[in-house]
């Protein structure tokens, strides 16, 4: 097996002009991805045979897929960066970049957490946020939905319009 790897490695180094360090890292990366695929397949096959409830099976398969994917990703990054300090620096820079790029979804998620935990309103409440008034009919991770009242109707009856408001508004507008 080592002779086969040596032949593949020397061929890649000669034909692609890469260093032995890079060819070794590429080999380990391919091996990690293959292990991810194999382990995921075996675990999901086992779960599909062992769990008859479709809802529980869906949650377990999603959880297993996410955990394995994150573990594989972190392992590959650790292989390429080597020392722990490089990995910590990479994760710090990556998280700062993600926070900047994903500012609005993160604010909306934080707004959802505020709505769920502090309960400034619940489904069925009549609220006004900014210039929008209505009855809350749904709350989701990134937005909540209201059935509008008033606006061009002089009374407090529903206008028939459905308004989707980003959860981040709870931080910037009074409810």
């Amino acid at each position: 097996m080592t002779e086969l790897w040596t032949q593949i490695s020397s061929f890649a180094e000669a034909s692609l002009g890469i260093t032995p360090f890079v060819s070794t890292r590429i080999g380990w990366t391919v091996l990690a991805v293959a292990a991810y695929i194999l382990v995921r397949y075996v675990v999901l096959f086992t779960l599909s045979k062992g769990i008859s409830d479709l809802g529980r099976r869906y949650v377990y398969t999603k959880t297993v897929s996410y955990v394995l994917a994150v573990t594989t990703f972190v392992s590959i990054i650790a292989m390429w960066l080597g020392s722990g300090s490089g990995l910590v620096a990479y994760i710090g820079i990556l998280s700062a970049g993600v926070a900047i790029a994903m500012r609005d979804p993160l604010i909306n998620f934080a707004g959802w957490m505020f709505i769920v935990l502090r309960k400034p309103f619940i489904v069925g409440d009549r609220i006004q946020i900014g210039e929008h008034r209505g009855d809350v009919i749904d709350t989701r991770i990134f937005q909540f939905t209201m059935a509008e009242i008033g606006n061009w109707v002089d009374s407090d009856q529903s206008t028939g319009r459905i308004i989707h408001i980003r959860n981040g508004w709870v931080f910037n507008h009074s409810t």
Side-chain angles (χ1 to χ4, degrees), residues 77-90:
I77 294 299
M79 276 188 276
W80 281 91
L81 294 179
S83 70
S85 63
L87 180 62
V88 171
Y90 176 77

Side-chain angles (χ1 to χ4, degrees), residues 8-173:
I8 293 172
S9 174
S10 6
F11 173 75
E13 292 166 12
S15 62
L16 299 175
I18 58 177
T19 65
F21 174 81
V22 173
S23 68
T24 303
R25 295 301 188 259
I26 290 172
W28 282 110
T29 301
V30 169
L31 186 64
V33 170
Y36 162 76
I37 292 170
L38 179 67
V39 169
R40 182 177 179 271
Y41 177 76
V42 168
V43 170
L44 293 183
F45 180 77
T46 305
L47 285 175
S48 69
K49 296 294 182 193
I51 300 174
S52 59
D53 181 29
L54 293 177
R56 285 183 49 211
R57 184 186 313 165
Y58 175 78
V59 170
Y60 287 149
T61 56
K62 282 297 191 188
T63 303
V64 165
S65 296
Y66 289 147
V67 167
L68 285 175
V70 168
T71 303
T72 303
F73 179 74
V74 169
S75 300
I76 290 172
I77 294 299
M79 276 188 276
W80 281 91
L81 294 179
S83 70
S85 63
L87 180 62
V88 171
Y90 176 77
I91 290 174
I93 292 170
L94 180 69
S95 62
V98 167
I100 292 170
M102 301 289 291
R103 179 184 176 272
D104 287 339
L106 288 174
I107 289 173
N108 290 332
F109 180 75
W112 176 72
M113 293 296 292
F114 177 76
I115 292 169
V116 168
L117 297 176
R118 297 294 304 264
K119 298 191 185 319
F121 55 84
I122 58 172
V123 173
D125 284 354
R126 180 162 287 181
I127 65 169
Q128 177 171 349
I129 185 160
E131 68 272 1
H132 303 291
R133 290 185 306 151
D135 298 323
V136 178
I137 56 175
D138 189 21
T139 57
R140 296 186 179 190
I141 292 179
F142 297 111
Q143 67 187 14
F144 62 93
T145 307
M146 292 187 341
E148 183 187 53
I149 62 165
N151 203 0
W152 60 75
V153 179
D154 290 331
S155 63
D156 281 345
Q157 293 181 350
S158 175
T159 63
R161 287 179 45 190
I162 302 296
I163 304 171
H164 302 283
I165 298 177
R166 295 175 298 174
N167 289 336
W169 274 37
V170 298
F171 297 129
N172 300 329
H173 300 84

